[in-house]
Amino acid sequence: MGNYREQGIVLRTHKLGETDRILTLFTQGRGKVRAVAKGVRRPGSRFGGRLEPYSHVDLLLYEGRTLDVVTQAELLAAHDRVRSDWARSAAGAVLVELVDTVAVEGERDNSLFLLLRAGLQALDAGPGETGVFIDAFLLRVARTVGFALEVDRCASCGLPGPHPFLSVVAGGTLCSDCAPAGTQAVAPAVIDRLAVLAGDGWSPLVALPVDDSARVAASYARAFAEHHLDRRLKSYPLTERQAIA
């Protein structure tokens, strides 16, 4: 046991006693870490405001037997707009819940860390429409942990696409031969949108229109992530998009 330094993002916090907090952190080098921030709720705490959910921080921690202890915290990115704006905060809650679900305590996952950091940065800097960032994050986290969405070929037989049918269970588009009888085709705009959502980069998301294809893609992205990650997202209804999905 000893001191170690890590960059991390605060996923959630819980009160401990009268002045302390237990933090769930997602760190770049050690994966998910649970740590105590002693005295952080005391008036005048030297780093209380730096250890809020969504904050990206540079930390010095002491490795304890059950919980590590935060001894220093320097703020790298507060993501104040994510915390202060309701829509951004609700979207941020989906992001951190999903990472908290798939991350393994003590197991490094740099790709997932960078994805969460980029997602929070995009929410902090992006326009008022936050739903597109949620949709993209759901599909990109699923890809990071091994469930990539197939949009360029049939997810069942591999026949090159595009194909007009979608399947959550199969993991993407299906050709007419593989689609179950009675499956309804979706508009090409839906497939095109899903390809952008599941791709790389955040700036292309801003140009995506809010239309019928957005509603269908949002519904599919949620169903895809919840099915393949085997998790109902408790925070998703806070985004007020349940009517869409």
Side-chain angles (χ1 to χ4, degrees):
M1 293 187 293
N3 292 323
Y4 66 95
R5 184 171 292 279
E6 269 291 353
Q7 282 192 30
I9 294 170
V10 181
L11 301 180
R12 52 192 172 92
T13 68
H14 294 96
K15 293 179 181 179
L16 178 65
E18 294 185 358
T19 61
D20 304 339
R21 275 200 184 111
I22 295 176
L23 311 175
T24 301
L25 306 160
F26 189 54
T27 68
Q28 190 163 16
R30 297 190 177 208
K32 190 160 64 174
V33 170
R34 296 179 74 241
V36 175
K38 295 185 176 180
V40 74
R41 293 163 50 217
R42 185 181 297 126
S45 168
R46 68 184 187 278
F47 52 68
R50 305 171 193 174
L51 297 173
E52 297 292 336
Y54 315 135
S55 292
H56 180 200
V57 286
D58 184 79
L59 301 164
L60 184 65
L61 303 102
Y62 179 79
E63 192 172 3
R65 286 187 176 87
T66 55
L67 294 172
D68 295 352
V69 179
V70 177
T71 58
Q72 291 180 16
E74 297 297 330
L75 191 62
L76 299 176
H79 298 132
D80 285 332
R81 294 182 73 193
V82 179
R83 271 197 302 276
S84 61
D85 178 79
W86 168 255
R88 285 182 171 86
S89 181
V94 176
L95 271 56
V96 297
E97 180 190 350
L98 193 58
V99 169
D100 193 16
T101 296
V102 302
V104 178
E105 195 162 338
E107 186 173 304
R108 181 178 184 269
D109 191 334
N110 192 53
S111 296
L112 188 59
F113 177 85
L114 295 176
L115 182 59
L116 176 59
R117 188 182 69 177
L120 289 172
Q121 289 172 341
L123 274 179
D124 203 44
E129 168 54 36
T130 59
V132 67
F133 297 111
I134 299 173
D135 302 337
F137 196 79
L138 295 178
L139 296 176
R140 294 175 189 192
V141 167
R143 180 186 65 188
T144 299
V145 299
F147 300 101
L149 174 67
E150 292 285 0
V151 290
D152 295 326
R153 60 179 182 172
C154 176
S156 180
C157 70
L159 181 71
H163 300 295
F165 304 101
L166 273 175
S167 169
V168 167
V169 176
T173 58
L174 293 176
C175 66
S176 57
D177 289 335
C178 294
T183 303
Q184 292 187 346
V186 299
V190 174
I191 306 300
D192 293 342
R193 187 182 186 93
L194 287 170
V196 175
L197 293 172
D200 297 312
W202 298 88
S203 56
L205 303 178
V206 179
L208 291 175
V210 180
D211 54 15
D212 288 341
S213 70
R215 289 190 288 272
V216 177
S219 177
Y220 183 83
R222 180 186 182 184
F224 183 93
E226 290 186 334
H227 174 80
H228 291 284
L229 302 178
D230 194 23
R231 170 77 181 216
R232 294 286 295 176
L233 294 169
K234 296 179 181 178
S235 56
Y236 194 97
L238 297 177
T239 66
E240 299 182 352
R241 306 182 78 224
Q242 61 269 35
I244 296 176

